[in-house]
Amino acid sequence: MNGPSPQQLAHSGSLEQLYQQLGPIRMGAGWAKPTPSLWAEPKKTFQARSWSYAQAKGALDAAGRLINTELAERRNLILQNPAEGYATSRTIVAAYQMIMPGEKARSHRHTPNALRLIVDAEPGAFTIVNGERLSMMPGDVVLTPNWCWHGHGNDSRACAYWLDVLDVPLVQLLEPMFFEPHPDEFEKETVVANASPMHFPWQQTQARLEEAASRANGHAAEIALGDPALDTMALAMIALKPGQATSPRKVMANNVLGVVQGSGRTEVEGKELSWSRGDVIVVPAWQEHVHRSDGGAVLFRVTDEPVMRKLGFLREVH
Ligand SMILES: [Fe+2]
């Protein structure tokens, strides 16, 4: 037993003396905490904000000249919340990524769940997920769940740009991080996918949104992609007709949104964030928000609702 003896502790003559003896044995007096460990409501450490696709595209084009995919596992730009050096929200990180014509990004797998929303690409850009080649066209969503092999390639003549969304901050917090490069470096395409649960093509999404809008009684149409698509993240598409707004929401779940079409603004607790196609918006948990569009828009939303629901933490103000 290192540190003071039970008798020395028992005979502490003052609180000061007791605290001095507790320090080296890594015990803390719960009645004299420097900061409280419980509080009445979420602290809202993370900030609501938006990122410009036009700026990201410019920076990725520079990165295309300056680094190749051999140097970097992925050529991407991480969208960092001012609250933290890395994460976009407490549980979710988003990043823009670009792959040039003829390039390939090596296959790997990891425990974090990942998905991508394609922003600009021409036929020939693809992701291989567990041997299935999935095309990446604007508005498509492609999933690479926990421990699925995945790599990217671009046989088209144009650069392909997309938004990656991952639950890496949650995995870092809980610590089950595992990562493995593919033994063959580039995974071979072994299955020709007709329809894959890992792929949500834009044409299908658009048809479902139109159908949902016809039944929405003037409200913004919303559809889920998968149910839920991943263990930790739920995906939805929200269509706003010109002049439409979503109902105000205050929910204990983090939201990262990508603008699939159109432009508009998001009001979050007194802040106004303007956005247009390709931009990203983060609305952290427990911040009341409304999305509006004058000319019409489609938003892709990723939330950590499945985690909050499973753990009994999901609350919403009605
Ligand atoms: Fe990955």
Side-chain angles (χ1 to χ4, degrees):
M1 185 166 53
N2 292 319
S5 69
Q7 292 75 20
Q8 283 173 310
L9 284 155
H11 292 112
S12 298
S14 64
L15 279 174
E16 279 306 298
Q17 204 189 340
L18 176 60
Y19 297 157
Q20 273 175 16
Q21 297 192 90
L22 287 175
I25 55 172
R26 301 300 299 150
M27 291 189 196
W31 63 87
K33 287 192 287 281
T35 52
S37 53
L38 306 174
W39 41 90
E41 276 200 59
K43 280 185 171 175
K44 303 182 187 175
T45 312
F46 280 75
Q47 296 177 22
R49 64 161 294 150
S50 60
W51 286 267
S52 155
Y53 172 57
Q55 286 176 329
K57 199 166 188 265
L60 285 172
D61 289 342
R65 276 188 289 109
L66 302 169
I67 59 153
N68 62 35
T69 52
E70 308 248 312
L71 278 176
E73 192 61 37
R74 299 288 192 253
R75 186 189 290 112
N76 61 10
L77 286 174
I78 299 155
L79 308 185
Q80 300 165 336
N81 197 284
E84 284 244 340
Y86 170 68
T88 310
S89 74
R90 177 61 78 195
T91 54
I92 299 171
V93 65
Y96 287 107
Q97 183 165 171
M98 187 268 271
I99 181 165
M100 299 196 0
E103 270 186 340
K104 280 189 188 175
R106 283 181 288 263
S107 291
H108 62 211
R109 62 181 175 179
H110 39 68
T111 42
N113 293 277
L115 60 113
R116 43 216 109 246
L117 169 70
I118 317 312
V119 185
D120 279 316
E122 290 188 1
F126 63 91
T127 289
I128 293 184
V129 186
N130 281 349
E132 284 191 355
R133 179 179 169 130
L134 309 175
S135 68
M136 296 202 291
M137 291 298 289
D140 286 7
V141 172
V142 175
L143 310 184
T144 56
N146 178 351
W147 216 235
C148 288
W149 292 113
H150 57 280
H152 314 293
N154 185 359
D155 293 339
S156 82
R157 294 170 68 179
C159 293
Y161 302 83
W162 66 82
L163 180 72
D164 287 313
V165 185
L166 302 95
D167 59 8
V168 168
L170 178 68
V171 176
Q172 289 180 346
L173 177 75
L174 301 177
E175 300 197 334
M177 181 69 78
F178 296 92
F179 174 94
E180 193 180 356
H182 197 279
D184 305 329
E185 206 169 63
F186 298 102
E187 190 192 0
K188 298 282 178 304
E189 178 187 337
T190 52
V191 186
V192 178
N194 229 339
S196 165
M198 308 294 181
H199 188 209
F200 298 89
W202 171 241
Q203 275 187 335
Q204 276 176 26
T205 301
Q206 201 175 23
R208 288 183 59 205
L209 278 174
E210 276 167 22
E211 207 267 322
S214 68
R215 289 182 284 104
N217 285 330
H219 296 289
E222 181 172 329
I223 58 164
L225 302 187
D227 187 26
L230 300 163
D231 291 333
T232 56
M233 293 179 281
L235 318 180
M237 289 278 185
I238 303 162
L240 294 167
K241 286 189 174 155
Q244 234 176 11
T246 56
S247 307
R249 282 195 88 188
K250 182 173 179 177
V251 57
M252 192 51 231
N254 294 288
N255 306 278
V256 172
L257 300 115
V259 184
V260 181
Q261 277 188 350
S263 61
R265 58 198 188 279
T266 298
E267 289 152 27
V268 193
E269 305 212 324
K271 211 183 219 182
E272 188 166 292
L273 308 168
S274 295
W275 39 261
S276 56
R277 198 184 84 85
D279 290 355
V280 172
I281 309 134
V282 60
V283 180
W286 213 236
Q287 301 202 13
E288 184 168 308
H289 60 280
V290 172
H291 308 295
R292 292 177 198 286
S293 174
D294 293 334
V298 175
L299 293 171
F300 172 58
R301 186 187 66 217
V302 181
T303 88
D304 59 6
E305 268 187 31
V307 175
M308 299 296 189
R309 182 176 291 112
K310 183 75 184 168
L311 301 180
F313 298 147
L314 186 66
R315 290 188 185 211
E316 181 153 10
V317 174
H318 290 288

